[in-house]
Amino acid sequence: PINSVLGVTTANIRKLSKRIGTDADLADHLWNSRYHEAKLLAVLIAPFLGDHRLNDWVVDVDSWDVCDQFAKRVSEVQPEIVDLVTDWVNNDSLFVRRAGLALIANHCVKSTDLTDDKVEVFTGLLKSASVDERQHVRQACCWALRELGKVYDHSHEVATSLALELCESSNRASAWVGRCAYKELELLVKIPDRRRLISRRSKSAAKYVD
């Protein structure tokens, strides 16, 4: 069950986190409380040093928004995430698996050096996770596959190929992920002065696309 909710907005939690800065002890105290907003604040002020601490925290994630903020924060402070992603996506726990998928998505958004080897690892994990019928996992899997396809030409080719493969799957969850991702992937184009691929329907792409 979700923690008790105080009703504090995420915007105010972010403002408070900027006033506090980084505080490991306070983050641990907040994380161990029973309040939803306290966990969100803990994620924003925690330094997240070491995989051991991350694995201790991830098993206590109990809502999708804390999960996604947690993954985003990890992506900001952990340059090497392949081992974490592999362990989390292969975990059967709902929010641990979602955290792994959200970490892939956030890493793809921020990465400037996504290697072909990482693309291969991520693609394999997304394919295996796509069979999970739980809504929070399916949605995160689609999200990660779409973000993978936006990084550069090769990742787009690989992501699109996987999406089409999943569309033909007899597994309903996999087919849903494939259809969900392909709707966006098929519209992506590379334009000058943009690091990532963008939709051909966007204003930025209009003058480059017939």
Side-chain angles (χ1 to χ4, degrees):
I2 197 168
N3 290 286
S4 298
V5 177
L6 297 171
V8 182
T9 66
T10 301
N12 283 332
I13 292 172
R14 289 187 181 280
K15 289 178 183 178
L16 182 57
S17 73
K18 290 178 180 179
R19 289 172 55 189
I20 295 171
T22 299
D23 190 322
D25 291 337
L26 178 57
D28 282 330
H29 179 73
L30 291 168
W31 186 259
N32 291 324
S33 78
R34 63 189 179 89
Y35 295 105
H36 179 68
E37 292 90 344
K39 285 196 170 185
L40 283 173
L41 180 57
V43 168
L44 295 174
I45 68 173
F48 285 132
L49 299 176
D51 291 354
H52 177 73
R53 186 179 189 193
L54 290 172
N55 286 316
D56 284 345
W57 275 38
V58 74
V59 296
D60 289 330
V61 173
D62 55 9
S63 65
W64 69 267
D65 55 342
V66 170
C67 181
D68 293 356
Q69 288 293 335
F70 176 80
K72 181 180 180 181
R73 181 70 177 131
V74 173
S75 74
E76 293 172 346
V77 298
Q78 295 285 113
E80 295 300 329
I81 51 88
V82 171
D83 289 342
L84 278 178
V85 164
T86 301
D87 289 344
W88 292 355
V89 173
N90 287 329
N91 191 299
D92 289 333
S93 172
L94 171 60
F95 289 116
V96 176
R97 179 166 290 170
R98 181 179 173 109
L101 296 168
L103 186 50
I104 292 175
N106 279 282
H107 185 74
C108 289
V109 169
K110 298 176 182 301
S111 179
T112 58
D113 60 347
L114 186 68
T115 64
D116 291 353
D117 288 342
K118 274 187 181 177
V119 171
E120 183 177 356
V121 171
F122 292 167
T123 304
L125 291 170
L126 293 175
K127 183 176 181 178
S128 65
S130 72
V131 301
D132 193 321
E133 295 185 352
R134 292 173 292 186
Q135 181 180 1
H136 288 311
V137 175
R138 285 190 292 116
Q139 291 173 338
C141 194
C142 175
W143 172 27
L145 185 53
R146 288 184 284 114
E147 295 301 340
L148 178 63
K150 296 176 185 177
V151 182
Y152 65 116
D153 290 338
H154 175 66
S155 72
H156 178 253
E157 180 181 348
V158 172
T160 302
S161 177
L162 176 57
L164 288 171
E165 178 185 341
L166 295 179
C167 284
E168 300 299 322
S169 174
S170 59
N171 180 279
R172 291 190 304 173
S174 293
W176 183 92
V177 170
R179 292 192 302 271
C180 170
Y182 186 71
K183 287 178 183 179
E184 185 168 353
L185 291 171
E186 69 171 334
L187 297 175
L188 296 179
V189 293
K190 181 69 175 177
I191 65 171
D193 302 321
R194 292 294 293 262
R195 178 173 63 86
R196 287 158 52 82
L197 280 69
I198 63 173
S199 172
R200 65 174 63 248
R201 293 177 179 172
S202 66
K203 291 183 179 179
S204 298
K207 64 180 179 180
Y208 298 102
V209 179
D210 294 331

